[in-house]
Amino acid sequence: MSHPAVPVVMAVSSLVSSYMQGEATKAQLDAEQAALEDEEKQLVQQRIYLNESRDEEIDLFRRETQELLGLQTVGFAKTGVELSGSVLNVLNNTQLDALEEEDRIYREYAKARTMSDLRSQSIKNQMGHISSQRGLVDSLTFVGGLSGAATSYYTGRRLTSKKKITKVN
C-alpha cells in the first residue's frame, strides 16, 4: 500500500526549494547592489581628489609661470634691454605657452572627469536593473513554486497510484 503523504511531501519540498532559491537570488542582488553603491562612493571620492589635484596643479603652474616671467623681466632689465619689440614677444610667448599648458591641464582633467561620470551613470543604470530584477524575484518565486509544487504533487500521485512507493511497516 502506498503512503498518501508522498505527493504532499514532494509538493512541499518543491515549494521550499523555490523559496530558498528566491531568497538566494535576493541575497545575490543585494550583494551586487552593495558593491555598486561602494563603487559609486569611491567615484565620488575620486572626483573630489581629481578636482583638488587639478586646482593644486594649476595653482603651482601659475606660480611657476609668474616666477619665470619675473625672472625673464629682471634678466632683460639687468642687461639694459628695453622691454619692447622682440623682448616683449619673448614675454608674450611665455605667457601664451603658459595658457596653452593650462588648457592642456584642464582638458586632461576633463577627460578623467568624463570617464568618471560615464562610470557613475553605468553604475546607476546597473542599480536600476537590479531594482527591476529584485521586484520580479518574489513573483517569479511564487509562480515557480506553485508550478513546481503542482508538478511534484502530480508526480507523487502517479508514483503512489502505481504502487511504486510503498509504506514501510
Side-chain angles (χ1 to χ4, degrees), residues 11-21:
V12 169
S13 295
S14 182
L15 279 173
V16 169
S17 175
S18 291
Y19 173 79
M20 290 173 62
Q21 186 175 14

Side-chain angles (χ1 to χ4, degrees), residues 38-50:
D38 286 345
E39 189 174 351
E40 179 63 27
K41 288 175 188 174
Q42 289 174 348
L43 283 173
V44 168
Q45 291 301 315
Q46 286 175 349
R47 281 189 218 110
I48 291 168
Y49 173 76
L50 187 68

Side-chain angles (χ1 to χ4, degrees), residues 19-110:
Y19 173 79
M20 290 173 62
Q21 186 175 14
E23 290 301 306
T25 300
K26 285 193 243 180
Q28 180 182 358
L29 291 173
D30 289 346
E32 288 176 26
Q33 179 97 14
L36 289 170
E37 288 169 357
D38 286 345
E39 189 174 351
E40 179 63 27
K41 288 175 188 174
Q42 289 174 348
L43 283 173
V44 168
Q45 291 301 315
Q46 286 175 349
R47 281 189 218 110
I48 291 168
Y49 173 76
L50 187 68
N51 290 338
E52 289 172 354
S53 296
R54 179 203 58 219
D55 294 345
E56 287 174 11
E57 186 172 353
I58 289 292
D59 288 345
L60 176 63
F61 182 75
R62 285 178 179 164
R63 283 194 306 269
E64 289 174 348
T65 299
Q66 289 305 313
E67 186 178 316
L68 175 61
L69 286 169
L71 289 173
Q72 285 176 333
T73 302
V74 168
F76 288 133
K78 280 185 178 180
T79 60
V81 176
E82 189 176 317
L83 294 177
S84 63
S86 62
V87 173
L88 277 180
N89 285 341
V90 169
L91 294 174
N92 287 335
N93 286 340
T94 299
Q95 187 65 38
L96 286 174
D97 289 345
L99 291 174
E100 288 174 5
E101 180 62 15
E102 278 187 35
D103 286 343
R104 184 201 62 77
I105 292 168
Y106 279 117
R107 283 190 310 271
E108 179 182 313
Y109 281 94

Side-chain angles (χ1 to χ4, degrees), residues 8 38-39 41 46 66 85 89-90 116 128 136 141 147-148 151 154 156 159 161 164:
V8 174
D38 286 345
E39 189 174 351
K41 288 175 188 174
Q46 286 175 349
Q66 289 305 313
N89 285 341
V90 169
S116 177
L136 292 174
T141 299
S147 173
T151 302
Y154 175 73
L159 289 172
S161 68
K164 291 187 176 186

Side-chain angles (χ1 to χ4, degrees), residues 102-164:
E102 278 187 35
D103 286 343
R104 184 201 62 77
I105 292 168
Y106 279 117
R107 283 190 310 271
E108 179 182 313
Y109 281 94
K111 285 179 192 175
R113 177 61 191 244
T114 299
M115 294 303 292
S116 177
D117 289 345
L118 289 173
R119 181 62 189 139
S120 181
Q121 186 59 47
S122 173
I123 288 171
K124 287 176 181 147
N125 290 343
Q126 288 174 320
M127 289 181 0
H129 292 303
I130 287 172
S131 293
S132 297
Q133 289 174 340
R134 196 167 195 317
L136 292 174
V137 170
D138 289 333
S139 299
L140 293 174
T141 299
F142 177 74
V143 170
L146 285 180
S147 173
T151 302
S152 295
Y153 183 81
Y154 175 73
T155 302
R157 293 279 297 180
R158 281 186 46 223
L159 289 172
T160 56
S161 68
K162 293 181 181 179
K163 298 183 183 181
K164 291 187 176 186

